[in-house]
Amino acid sequence: MRTPIIAGNWKLNKTIHEAVALIASLRCMVDGVSNVEIVVAPVFTALATSAEALAGGNIRLAAQDVFWEDNGAFTGEVSPRMLKDVGCDYVIIGHSERRQYFGETNENVNCKVKASHAHGLIPIICTGESLEQREAGRTEAVVKDHLLNGIAGLSAAQIISTVIAYEPVWAIGTGRNATPDQAQEVHALIRSLISDIYSDDVALKVRIQYGGSVKPDNAGALLAQPDVDGALVGTASWDAESFAQIIKAADNAF
Ligand code: PGA
């Protein structure tokens, strides 16, 4: 049985003060939820204070990116060791916005994933096709490319403690989510690709999140799909009420 995981990607939003306020509201709303892993990913500058605000509760902390070296002359970067030090358990890697605006490659993603595992951080690896790629019938090829290059070299134990996110780029921030069938089709593909490399047994343990315009009113149907093990939520996670509703939908679905 895979524990569902709902993660909120705050992107470039929330000052320290705003992060603390959002966490305080959210904690009250999801206090009793014990069957869902809940994660929030504030900006780097709010991580330390967010860790304090989350202490003793059922919500875990993620960063939105990481670099692969431990330390050194890499101006502007933050290492996995530093993320562990500040209290992160998870890190989002290879989000489409990083691939699109910051030139992130599959090779970068793989270095970040390996470095995160080396420091006990759970990577959430993002995959997903653009609209153009979907319309050209390339969804499977693109997701396969993101996935296989992103997880290259991981042991079975490491892949089991890796979260894969399927986030079609055309669904991110657009209000146009993938249908439950579209999501299920790609999630099943991801699981079968993992099974081909490792085994059925390993693939059945890996959690695959859907992301892209997940809202309170569509979360239940998406999460009801057999291979959808959670959600990576952007916009709807910036508001405590809507994020809490998605978390409760997950709590009911599993
Ligand atoms: P969205 O973002 O929920 O606003 O579509 C999802 C994401 O980018 O992770």
Side-chain angles (χ1 to χ4, degrees):
M1 185 62 189
R2 301 180 292 267
T3 305
I5 174 166
I6 305 291
N9 175 7
W10 292 2
K11 308 194 180 186
L12 186 56
N13 294 289
K14 311 290 176 191
T15 60
I16 292 171
H17 182 76
E18 290 163 351
V20 169
L22 176 51
I23 287 169
S25 311
L26 192 60
R27 279 191 71 159
C28 296
M29 293 174 191
V30 300
D31 203 23
V33 175
S34 58
N35 297 323
V36 178
E37 233 163 271
I38 309 168
V39 180
V40 291
V43 295
F44 286 126
T45 51
L47 287 175
T49 320
S50 296
E52 284 166 23
L54 293 170
N58 59 348
I59 306 172
R60 323 256 301 265
L61 190 63
Q64 298 176 19
D65 189 25
V66 66
F67 189 55
W68 54 83
E69 296 287 349
D70 279 359
N71 43 49
F74 303 103
T75 303
E77 296 299 327
V78 176
S79 73
R81 237 181 106 226
M82 292 162 184
L83 293 183
K84 276 305 275 187
D85 185 42
V86 79
C88 288
D89 292 314
Y90 296 85
V91 57
I92 299 169
I93 297 177
H95 189 280
S96 65
E97 286 150 16
R98 296 221 54 86
R99 295 180 192 259
Q100 193 180 342
Y101 305 131
F102 304 100
E104 186 135 303
T105 64
N106 283 330
E107 290 66 37
N108 299 156
V109 170
N110 187 241
C111 288
K112 292 176 178 190
V113 168
K114 286 178 174 160
S116 297
H117 273 302
H119 289 278
L121 274 175
I122 298 177
I124 298 175
I125 308 178
C126 302
T127 67
E129 81 289 358
S130 66
L131 185 58
E132 200 182 15
Q133 289 164 333
R134 174 162 281 262
E135 285 174 347
R138 296 189 52 230
T139 298
E140 185 170 333
V142 172
V143 170
K144 187 172 176 183
D145 177 60
H146 287 165
L147 177 75
L148 299 193
N149 287 300
I151 66 172
L154 295 190
S155 67
Q158 286 172 329
I159 191 72
I160 288 169
S161 66
T162 296
V163 177
I164 308 297
Y166 168 55
E167 297 208 300
V169 179
W170 48 271
I172 295 178
T174 58
R176 179 186 164 195
N177 61 288
T179 64
D181 286 348
Q182 284 173 324
Q184 170 56 28
E185 193 183 352
V186 179
H187 283 230
L189 165 74
I190 291 171
R191 203 176 301 288
S192 81
L193 290 167
I194 295 172
S195 170
D196 290 346
I197 303 171
Y198 298 90
S199 65
D200 274 356
D201 189 46
V202 167
L204 283 171
K205 293 186 173 131
V206 177
R207 289 173 305 167
I208 308 171
Q209 292 179 310
Y210 168 77
S213 296
V214 176
K215 308 285 179 211
D217 62 358
N218 62 24
L222 286 160
L223 293 164
Q225 297 302 308
D227 288 298
V228 177
D229 308 311
L232 182 52
V233 185
T235 316
S237 74
W238 309 340
D239 171 74
E241 180 65 46
S242 59
F243 192 47
Q245 283 179 34
I246 293 168
I247 292 162
K248 285 173 187 162
D251 204 22
N252 292 334
F254 292 89

